Amino acid sequence: NQWAGMSSILKQAGVAGPVFVSVGESSQLAKFLELNPKIPKQSTFVDDSTDFDAYTTAGFVQVWENNAMGGPPRLSGGEWWKYVTNMMSLTPKQEGGGMPKGALKLGGTFVIEDDRVIYAWADSKPGDLPIVDDVLKEAVSSS
């Protein structure tokens, strides 16, 4: 939700974004947007592939790879309740049961200008997000 508030600042600086991409299905994205109404629908996309190769190519790991879990996400009491009560409906599904490949996939944040990566961040655990002002500074200074 903090990112959604930065759209006007980014637009004034000539930055197209932010753009949000997640794993799962379109129905799960719809639920996520319902829970996060400040995030503009037109800026969100879902990777519904079965292998999530783009995430792997970007260097993102599974929660348990490289001891990535480390500790719990930084969430308030209310955010924890929202997280726990909606986690299963937002988690990618796998036919036949079992843990789907994308359910534990960590993500990240990029600032891209033309074909160059100006800023890159890989989440080390769920909820491990970059400081928005740091990313904003990189995005605005590169525009």
Side-chain angles (χ1 to χ4, degrees):
N1 283 334
Q2 191 176 10
W3 279 108
M6 299 298 163
S7 295
S8 61
I9 295 169
L10 292 169
K11 187 175 183 176
Q12 287 175 354
V15 176
V19 175
F20 305 93
V21 181
S22 185
V23 297
E25 300 171 358
S26 59
S27 61
Q28 293 166 315
L29 177 60
K31 177 66 174 178
F32 175 81
L33 291 171
E34 177 186 318
L35 294 168
N36 297 280
K38 292 181 182 177
I39 297 176
K41 182 179 181 178
Q42 67 274 15
S43 298
T44 60
F45 302 91
V46 67
D47 177 358
D48 61 358
S49 68
T50 57
D51 55 18
F52 311 111
D53 279 344
Y55 278 69
T56 303
T57 301
F60 302 144
V61 298
Q62 297 281 96
V63 167
W64 305 117
E65 289 177 48
N66 304 327
N67 296 316
M69 190 57 179
R74 297 178 306 241
L75 301 173
S76 70
E79 290 170 328
W80 265 112
W81 177 250
K82 194 180 214 182
Y83 177 81
V84 169
T85 57
N86 290 289
M87 180 178 60
M88 292 311 293
S89 66
L90 296 174
T91 300
K93 307 291 185 247
Q94 180 168 311
E95 282 189 40
M99 183 61 72
K101 190 173 183 178
L104 300 175
K105 188 58 88 175
L106 293 168
T109 303
F110 291 100
V111 174
I112 300 171
E113 182 176 25
D114 299 321
D115 61 352
R116 296 179 314 137
V117 175
I118 305 299
Y119 177 92
W121 170 280
D123 301 347
S124 64
K125 61 186 176 187
D128 175 38
L129 306 173
I131 297 169
V132 173
D133 288 340
D134 291 348
V135 181
L136 187 62
K137 183 175 78 176
E138 292 294 327
V140 171
S141 68
S142 71
S143 64

